[in-house]
Amino acid sequence: MNVIDGDAAGGILDDITVVDLTTFVTGGFATLMLANQGAEVIKVERPGAGDDNRHSGPPFVEPDPDYDGPGRTADENGESPYFWTINYDKLSVEFNLKTESGLEALYDLVAEADVVVENFRPGTAERLGIGYDDLQEVNDDLVYCSISAFGETGPWSSRPGYDLLVQGTSGIMSVTGPEDGDPVKVGLPQTDLITAMWAAFGIVGALFRRERTGEGDRLELGMHDAALPWLTKQAGKAFVGEEPTRMGTKDPVLAPYQTYPTADGYLNVGCANQKLWGELCEAIDRPELAEDDRFATNPDRVEHMDELEAELSAVFRERPTDEWVDLLAEDHGLPVAPVYDVPTALDNEQTEARGTIREIEHPALGTVPVIEHPINYENATAGFDGAPPLLGEDTEAILGELGYDEEDIDRLRDDGAIPDA
């Protein structure tokens, strides 16, 4: 199935069709990664409401009042930019899976697909008749991915969960924030995104295996499990009986490797090995620091991190951030960088030079910005071609691709399986 003729010819996942039954971020970002690599991703959404992420805001953006094409805005306030960032280059259909004909339409769609992704609470998909066993009956080489907060086994398996909860259970919050402060949530939906990347990785692996064996597979992962491997150095300390703690921007095993205040902002400094440490001391005109017994080696600097912070903070406060970057990064080639706010991160000379932020035509909004994903191939293409879909924008087109005629589509409307036009 290929409803949209895009520019992604040569994408790694060309000719792969993904049925996305997920809501919010975890599944959405996983299928976004697949769309970026050329897969056709079809969101199956609740009639009238759609993905919960469509209602995440404010802010909202009002569509063109003169737009009269297919699909519509799900929220009375307009379109959510947060929704855009997780749903570029996807298609949207509205199926009421609690009706028999809506469920049959989904089965027809899955029969032509390669991948299904769902993030219901364990047991929900089976109750709806869209579990792995149900869908494998219509597509025996299907790759089916189930995502939940805590996985399908264990004493927490029936609990609901969101990123905030899993940032807590995974230990991430315990090592995030100021040393003398409370546990702090990472400012991004980090465990959602971590889990999404694991899911996309697993799906591509299962598709590769299918190419070799002809067999589909079922993947099952929990957000809590997915976050734990990212603890790395903190887990390493715990494995030998030490308790990792909050350290602000400091690092538990490297120094200097943290944020320092400048005359007008902040500077990140990562000059932890001996060569870089010596070069930093020379560049800031403090060569005696390299000879100080407290700072002689990296273990010494870690042991005396507070004293080191005091010395370097006094130096870096003497100049603005840009001057330090010019001197240390540009002139001396040292690993230092400014701390940007989000608008500056999205709009600076490096981001612009890499073409990371683009604009995509949107039928009801004119254009919308898009953050491209970072993989650049020598012998394949990647990137987004289509705007995030309006709710139900592609329902009729996809049903037509499945062989439904106008009479069939009217029947689905009469049954309440799809909304009225």
Side-chain angles (χ1 to χ4, degrees):
M1 178 183 297
N2 198 346
V3 175
I4 287 184
D5 237 352
D7 298 329
I12 295 294
L13 298 180
D14 275 3
D15 301 323
I16 295 296
T17 297
V18 178
V19 176
D20 182 351
L21 300 173
T22 68
T23 62
F24 276 121
V25 181
T26 312
F29 198 84
T31 59
L32 183 78
M33 294 179 69
L34 304 178
N36 185 262
Q37 303 304 308
E40 180 179 75
V41 177
I42 302 170
K43 287 182 65 65
V44 178
E45 305 192 63
R46 292 173 298 158
D51 186 339
D52 289 333
N53 196 244
R54 289 185 180 273
H55 309 279
S56 295
F60 291 97
V61 178
E62 288 287 345
D64 182 350
D66 296 327
Y67 173 74
D68 61 357
R72 61 200 178 284
T73 296
D75 194 286
E76 62 182 11
N77 296 302
E79 284 280 285
S80 165
Y82 186 18
F83 175 82
W84 302 346
T85 64
I86 305 162
N87 290 287
Y88 302 117
D89 222 2
K90 298 181 185 180
L91 311 177
S92 171
V93 300
E94 294 174 275
F95 291 167
N96 183 351
L97 301 182
K98 294 182 179 180
T99 66
E100 184 176 341
S101 52
L103 198 57
E104 288 175 357
L106 177 69
Y107 289 165
D108 289 339
L109 179 59
V110 170
E112 301 297 323
D114 301 280
V115 177
V116 168
V117 185
E118 59 91 359
N119 65 345
F120 299 109
R121 201 184 300 190
T124 302
E126 288 74 18
R127 288 194 296 273
L128 290 171
I130 56 176
Y132 175 62
D133 291 340
D134 301 304
L135 300 187
Q136 194 187 32
E137 289 186 10
V138 299
N139 187 335
D140 62 5
D141 64 355
L142 185 67
V143 172
Y144 185 105
C145 179
S146 296
I147 302 168
S148 60
F150 299 107
E152 296 182 0
T153 58
W156 299 352
S157 61
S158 63
R159 293 184 186 179
Y162 292 96
D163 171 71
L164 172 64
L165 279 63
V166 178
Q167 285 204 32
T169 64
S170 66
I172 290 173
M173 288 177 63
S174 76
V175 294
T176 304
E179 299 172 61
D180 55 353
D182 296 327
V184 171
K185 173 186 174 293
V186 177
L188 309 172
Q190 186 177 47
T191 66
D192 282 330
L193 301 175
I194 288 171
T195 308
M197 296 182 78
W198 279 120
F201 174 74
I203 289 166
V204 171
L207 288 169
F208 179 69
R209 178 180 177 274
R210 191 180 71 170
E211 285 293 307
R212 301 171 68 181
T213 67
E215 298 175 344
D217 209 342
R218 181 173 187 245
L219 291 66
E220 182 268 324
L221 69 161
M223 293 169 62
H224 176 78
D225 305 342
L228 295 181
W230 284 47
L231 294 175
T232 60
K233 63 184 69 175
Q234 286 81 8
K237 293 189 74 169
F239 287 156
V240 295
E242 297 184 19
E243 183 175 350
T245 58
R246 289 181 292 284
M247 301 182 68
T249 67
K250 299 188 185 85
D251 187 89
V253 297
L254 298 172
Y257 197 89
Q258 68 179 91
T259 304
Y260 293 94
T262 66
D264 65 348
Y266 296 93
L267 186 73
N268 280 332
V269 178
C271 297
N273 71 34
Q274 286 304 102
K275 178 176 181 293
L276 294 173
W277 167 239
E279 291 175 356
L280 175 68
C281 294
E282 292 290 336
I284 65 174
D285 200 26
R286 292 292 305 275
E288 75 279 6
L289 292 177
E291 305 301 322
D292 191 313
D293 289 343
R294 297 173 299 170
F295 312 135
T297 67
N298 182 70
D300 292 327
R301 294 190 292 276
V302 170
E303 185 177 349
H304 298 92
M305 200 177 289
D306 290 342
E307 296 100 310
L308 179 64
E309 181 179 33
E311 293 281 1
L312 293 181
S313 293
V315 173
F316 289 128
R317 283 195 179 97
E318 295 173 357
R319 300 189 189 186
T321 300
D322 285 348
E323 287 189 21
W324 283 121
V325 172
D326 288 343
L327 173 67
L328 301 178
E330 299 294 339
D331 296 347
H332 289 271
L334 292 169
V336 305
V339 177
Y340 283 157
D341 58 23
V342 172
T344 307
L346 296 172
D347 184 12
N348 61 70
E349 60 184 1
Q350 180 64 23
T351 302
E352 181 180 357
R354 296 287 288 176
T356 308
I357 308 295
R358 299 192 297 111
E359 287 192 337
I360 287 181
E361 293 294 326
H362 190 289
L365 299 170
T367 60
V368 297
V370 55
I371 306 173
E372 275 294 355
H373 283 206
I375 302 173
N376 300 294
Y377 296 102
E378 184 70 24
N379 298 309
T381 61
F384 298 116
D385 180 61
L390 292 166
L391 177 60
E393 182 177 347
D394 307 288
T395 303
E396 290 193 30
I398 288 175
L399 288 171
E401 288 284 323
L402 295 173
Y404 286 63
D405 59 23
E406 288 187 15
E407 185 177 337
D408 296 324
I409 292 173
D410 286 341
R411 175 179 55 83
L412 290 175
R413 288 198 178 99
D414 291 341
D415 292 345
I418 64 174
D420 292 333

